Each structure stands twice: as structure tokens, then as C-alpha cells.
């Protein structure tokens, strides 16, 4: 049993080669105080999202090892995908789960960032609650320019990495490491292949476009399926719920005569986020988390 549990959700820029992913996540297997919970790949995004939990010290070692393996196997100079990326290991968030705090996760993120640079020579930006200044809190600000533009970006004084110099890793780019709230990766698929429609809806839904406060969104072309997607990160599901973002996407899609083709959640999600949706659509009065059988079993 683990006493202090911290979650980590590293995103790797590989969604098309299962053998490569298996090698990357190997450090998360067979450890006494580290547990691999989930991993999911998307060919269109060319990206894999991994969810792992563990005690701080053991988790730190496993994450840094996995990042080193990814750096040796992923070459962003040859990488293509619908999802923005700046690193072989693009982003590494830490989330407090049990007997841990945001402050501890912030400190852990800084330790991991330092080790990534020292051991693998990959520059690191600290983001979200670990950010060294407000302009670096939002991941999209850091990632702007992506891998192709990052070599010049890090030469600017205001964009010098928190760990590392003014040169990116030639094939693995840079990595963002930080501490955040549990995030829900929630996507809404649209019954059209017109990417401009998904882009316009995403702009309306996301906070930076005047939309919902705790939503980041972008349009994505799902080429293999012949449809497009509004891909969203729900950064605080307790303040902006999944049903709010879904209903807003559906409402905006009507403007273009487009229907919703389905939705998906990438990786793991807190049970409370889905219970909130069920309570809303079923109009359950005074519904509480404690009414769930599985919730009682976990007590």
C-alpha cells in the first residue's frame, strides 16, 4: 500500500508505434511504489497520454527514466501529428491525490525538471502552479511556435528555460513540467470534415476566446475517421463542468448545421466529473457522491 500518492500524466509525442510506447513506459512497470494506471494513444494526434501514480521519490525516478527513453526513441524532426507539441515528452504534470499537497507537487516538479536537464540535456519550462512567472502558467503560451520554432524562441531572454540553456535538444526538443489540478481531456467529435468549423467552435468555447473559464480548446482533424473534433482540456471540472462545455459545443455547431458525432475522454478522469454530468442530465435532486456503491467501497 502506498501512503503518499501523487499522480503524473506524461504526454509523449508518439501515437503510432506501440513498440516504442511500450519501451517508454517500461520504467512504470514492476515497481513496488509506482503503478501504471492507464495509457492511451491517438494516431491522428500522434500522441500518447500515460497515467501513473506513486510515492514521490520512486515516481520521480521512474518519470525521469521514461523521459530519457523517449528522448532516445522519438525524433521530432520526423514527427507529424494533429496535436501541438514541442518535445518528445511534451508535458509532465503532477497532481496531488492522497496525503499530498500542491506545494509538495510543485517542489517535486522542480526536482524532476532539474534532473531532466542534468541527465538528458532537455531544457525544461515550469508551468501551471509551478510557473516561475505568470506568462508561463498557460501551457499554450510556452508551446507556441512548437518544436519547429522553439530553437529561436529559447534564445529570447523572456523565454529562457527554467532549466537548461538557450539551445533545445536536437531531436527531443523541450519539455514542460508542472503541478496542476486534475484535468479532464474531453473531446467532442463533429459530423463534418471541415476543420475550419471545429476551429471556430473551439475559439468560441475556450476561455481565451471569451468562452468558458476553465476550458482550453482547439480544432483537430481526425483524418482517419473523416471527421473533425473540438479537443478540450477542462482545467477545473469543479468550476466548469463537462456538460457545460458539451452543450456549448453542440449549440455552436448548430450555427453551421453540424451535428455532434460523439464524445471521448482521453485517459483517466475523476468520478466526480462524470457524476456531475449524470446528475445534470437525469435531474437527480440532492445527489451525493456517497450514494455511489463503489465510493463506499473505497472508504
Amino acid at each position: 500500500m502506498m501512503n503518499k500518492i501523487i499522480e503524473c500524466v506524461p504526454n509523449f509525442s508518439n501515437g503510432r508505434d506501440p513498440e516504442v510506447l511500450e519501451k517508454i513506459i517500461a520504467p512504470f512497470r514492476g515497481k513496488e511504489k509506482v503503478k501504471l494506471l492507464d495509457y492511451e494513444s491517438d494516431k491522428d494526434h500522434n500522441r500518447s497520454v500515460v497515467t501513473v501514480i506513486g510515492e514521490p521519490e520512486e515516481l520521480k525516478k521512474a518519470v525521469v527514466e521514461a523521459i530519457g527513453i523517449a528522448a532516445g526513441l522519438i525524433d521530432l524532426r520526423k514527427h507529424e501529428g494533429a496535436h501541438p507539441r514541442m518535445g518528445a515528452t511534451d508535458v509532465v504534470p503532477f497532481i496531488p491525490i492522497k496525503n499530498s499537497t500542491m506545494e509538495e507537487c510543485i517542489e517535486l516538479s522542480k526536482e524532476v525538471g532539474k534532473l531532466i536537464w542534468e541527465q538528458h540535456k532537455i531544457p525544461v519550462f515550469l508551468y501551471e502552479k509551478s510557473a516561475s512567472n505568470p506568462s508561463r502558467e498557460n501551457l499554450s503560451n510556452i508551446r507556441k511556435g512548437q518544436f519547429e520554432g522553439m530553437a529561436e524562441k529559447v534564445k529570447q531572454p523572456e523565454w529562457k528555460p527554467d532549466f537548461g540553456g538557450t539551445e533545445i535538444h536536437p531531436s527531443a526538443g523541450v519539455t514542460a513540467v508542472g503541478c496542476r489540478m486534475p484535468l479532464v481531456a474531453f473531446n467532442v467529435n463533429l459530423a463534418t470534415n471541415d476543420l475550419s468549423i471545429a476551429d471556430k467552435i473551439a475559439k468560441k468555447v475556450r476561455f481565451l476566446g471569451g468562452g468558458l473559464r476553465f476550458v482550453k480548446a482547439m480544432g483537430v482533424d481526425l483524418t482517419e475517421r473523416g471527421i473533425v473534433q473540438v479537443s478540450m482540456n477542462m482545467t477545473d471540472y469543479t468550476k466548469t463542468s463537462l456538460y457545460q462545455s458539451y452543450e456549448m459545443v453542440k449549440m455552436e455547431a448548430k450555427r453551421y448545421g453540424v451535428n455532434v458525432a460523439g464524445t471521448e475522454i482521453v485517459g483517466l478522469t475523476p468520478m466526480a466529473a462524470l457524476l456531475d454530468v449524470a446528475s445534470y442530465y437525469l435531474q437527480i435532486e440532492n445527489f451525493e457522491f456517497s450514494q455511489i456503491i463503489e465510493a463506499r467501497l473505497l472508504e
Side-chain angles (χ1 to χ4, degrees), residues 7 108 126 139 152 199 243 256 288:
E7 179 185 20
L108 180 61
L126 296 172
L139 180 61
E152 290 302 316
D199 286 335
Y243 68 78
Y256 307 101
E288 296 181 357

Side-chain angles (χ1 to χ4, degrees), residues 212-225:
L212 299 170
R213 175 62 183 88
F214 295 98
V215 173
K216 299 176 182 178
M218 64 179 182
V220 176
D221 188 358
L222 302 183
T223 308
E224 286 200 352
R225 296 180 60 181

Side-chain angles (χ1 to χ4, degrees), residues 50-185:
V50 178
T51 305
V52 59
I53 60 171
E55 295 264 5
E57 196 61 31
E58 289 76 8
L59 181 62
K60 175 173 67 176
K61 293 175 184 177
V63 168
V64 173
E65 183 182 352
I67 291 169
I69 295 171
L73 296 176
I74 299 173
D75 189 341
L76 287 189
R77 292 169 296 190
K78 303 173 183 177
H79 180 276
E80 293 181 352
H83 200 291
R85 79 286 180 271
M86 60 183 181
T89 304
D90 195 55
V91 59
V92 185
F94 290 95
I95 304 104
I97 299 296
K98 176 186 175 185
N99 296 331
S100 56
T101 65
M102 284 287 186
E103 289 70 26
E104 287 176 303
C105 285
I106 290 170
E107 185 58 33
L108 180 61
S109 70
K110 292 178 180 179
E111 293 173 6
V112 168
K114 186 171 184 287
L115 288 172
I116 292 170
W117 168 245
E118 291 177 348
Q119 294 186 20
H120 307 309
K121 297 306 174 187
I122 300 171
V124 171
F125 288 101
L126 296 172
Y127 82 112
E128 283 281 355
K129 296 187 182 299
S130 303
S132 53
N133 65 64
S135 67
R136 300 187 180 195
E137 290 179 11
N138 192 325
L139 180 61
S140 62
N141 289 340
I142 298 174
R143 196 191 274 143
K144 188 174 182 180
Q146 298 195 55
F147 172 75
E148 289 76 11
M150 200 56 62
E152 290 302 316
K153 185 173 182 176
V154 297
K155 290 180 169 58
Q156 302 172 29
E158 65 271 26
W159 285 110
K160 184 181 183 300
D162 292 284
F163 298 100
T166 56
E167 292 186 7
I168 68 171
H169 188 287
S171 59
V174 301
T175 296
V177 182
C179 168
R180 60 162 171 77
M181 281 277 294
L183 177 148
V184 181

